Amino acid sequence: MRGDDQHEGDAPAGDQPQFRGSVGSNPPSYEAGERVEVLYRADSPQDARINGFASLWLLPLIFGGLGLLATGIGTVIALAMRRRSRAA
């Protein structure tokens, strides 16, 4: 069982919206029945997210790290080509 189970909570209007978390883990990050803080916009409750590090920051950190890696590799290649053109 993955940790991207369905969650439900109390909304201000009294209904209980349900959503599936976007980040899964094994073992699950939260126990069944555990209370979690959910962030959502009133006009778009289907885009809810759990207020946790992984669900808010995991993907931006992964893509940011990949971007920094690509920038570093590109910089090294550019510097190496510049040195070769100066030496020739």
Side-chain angles (χ1 to χ4, degrees):
M1 182 166 139
R2 290 185 43 211
D4 61 351
D5 299 66
Q6 200 165 359
H7 303 279
E8 61 182 59
D10 296 323
D15 57 346
Q16 286 197 335
Q18 296 183 358
F19 71 98
R20 185 170 299 277
S22 60
V23 177
S25 64
N26 190 9
S29 300
Y30 304 99
E31 298 291 327
E34 182 177 350
R35 288 190 166 274
V36 295
E37 185 177 357
V38 177
L39 305 174
Y40 67 95
R41 291 180 15 195
D43 62 341
S44 183
Q46 68 275 9
D47 294 329
R49 292 182 185 226
I50 294 175
N51 188 12
F53 180 80
S55 63
L56 296 176
W57 296 106
L58 184 62
L59 286 178
L61 285 174
I62 289 172
F63 286 116
L66 289 174
L68 285 174
L69 180 65
T71 301
I73 291 171
T75 301
V76 168
I77 291 172
L79 290 174
M81 292 179 70
R82 185 174 177 189
R83 285 184 184 168
R84 278 191 187 164
S85 66
R86 283 188 177 178

